[in-house]
Amino acid sequence: GVCAFWSDLPLVLLTLVFGALLLGKPLPRIGALWRPVASQLLLALTLAFGQFLVASLAVMLLLQPWLGVSPVMACLIEVAYEGGHGSAAAMGPTYERLGLVGGEALGLAMATVGLLASTLVGGLVVVVARGRGWLTVFAPTAAADPPETPGALEASVPAPAASEDTVPAPAAPRAAPPSATGAAPIGLAAWSVNLALAGIAVAIGWLALEGLQWWAQGSEGVLRSVIDALPVFPLALVGSLLVRLVLERSGSTALASA
């Protein structure tokens, strides 16, 4: 019923998020892209493999000899801590296909513990750092007085008294207040176009996954297991990149709202 419907939503929504991730931002040039992407990639790999290493040692040395757990449990820390609740929920069906039935519940619990621990520890570190003077606080500088403009001078001159024959000038129309984000709201048509672009990106990812599974039919072992358990959302990110590239090459980037 309702619970079954909601339990299927995390993977669908995460796939949609990955499909729309690169649609609204311009793609940088290869020369300008390499350095920030390489730094971010190295940081992500360091964190991910470090968490995989700790989890693998804990599963191999403690949990498997004592409790006989599935080796897939070594993936929980990286998915829950670095990915968060969305990734932990979306990977639930993949855990079940690999034999870890309670992986989704364990991942959500670990993501909650990681969020609470990072909040408490991070707040404590900030308090200690401020107390010891490790943080540099920049005081806001006073803004300089703006130069006087002709409009300001005219406003300072008192207006003449209105007589009975004076016709009052019509009031200037008020400008529409900006939205909270500072961007103009988009209509239903723009939402539909953006949803269609994200759907195209997801479709590209799904086709890529189908192609990988067809290619891996004749193989056995770890490669076949990994491709069979691979979800759609990483490949939806590739589809989002391809859709954005087509929009830029065709001069149709206005279709995607940032």
Side-chain angles (χ1 to χ4, degrees):
V2 176
C3 293
F5 172 75
W6 281 96
S7 64
D8 294 334
L9 281 183
L11 181 58
V12 175
L13 296 178
L14 188 63
T15 304
L16 185 61
V17 168
F18 272 67
L21 202 58
L22 301 177
L23 294 180
K25 298 296 182 181
L27 297 177
R29 296 180 179 177
I30 300 299
L33 181 65
W34 169 247
R35 186 165 185 176
V37 167
S39 303
Q40 186 67 27
L41 180 63
L42 290 176
L43 176 61
L45 290 177
T46 302
L47 294 176
F49 281 105
Q51 292 169 359
F52 277 129
L53 176 62
V54 173
S56 300
L57 291 177
V59 170
M60 183 175 60
L61 299 179
L62 297 176
L63 298 180
Q64 273 192 327
W66 291 357
L67 302 177
V69 299
S70 170
V72 182
M73 190 173 287
C75 302
L76 292 178
I77 290 182
E78 192 276 337
V79 174
Y81 285 3
E82 192 169 0
H85 290 82
S87 299
M91 290 295 291
T94 303
Y95 292 147
E96 291 184 2
R97 288 198 297 268
L98 293 176
L100 185 60
V101 178
E104 181 178 353
L106 290 173
L108 291 174
M110 295 179 70
T112 303
V113 171
L115 182 62
L116 293 176
S118 62
T119 302
L120 295 176
V121 174
L124 180 62
V125 169
V126 170
V127 170
V128 172
R130 291 189 61 180
R132 293 183 172 270
W134 295 342
L135 297 180
T136 303
V137 180
F138 296 96
T141 57
D145 294 332
E148 293 185 352
T149 60
L153 293 176
E154 293 175 2
S156 63
V157 178
S163 63
E164 296 179 357
D165 299 333
T166 304
V167 179
R174 292 186 177 181
S179 60
T181 57
I186 61 177
L188 181 61
W191 277 109
S192 302
V193 172
N194 281 271
L195 186 60
L197 293 175
I200 293 173
V202 173
I204 293 174
W206 177 78
L207 290 174
L209 181 60
E210 290 291 321
L212 287 175
Q213 291 177 349
W214 174 81
W215 172 72
Q217 284 181 357
S219 61
E220 297 294 339
V222 178
L223 178 63
R224 178 67 181 272
S225 301
V226 170
I227 292 180
D228 287 342
L230 184 66
V232 183
F233 63 86
L235 300 175
L237 181 63
V238 179
S240 178
L241 175 64
L242 294 178
V243 171
R244 179 66 194 188
L245 185 61
V246 171
L247 291 177
E248 291 188 357
R249 294 293 177 87
S250 61
S252 305
T253 55
L255 295 175
S257 303

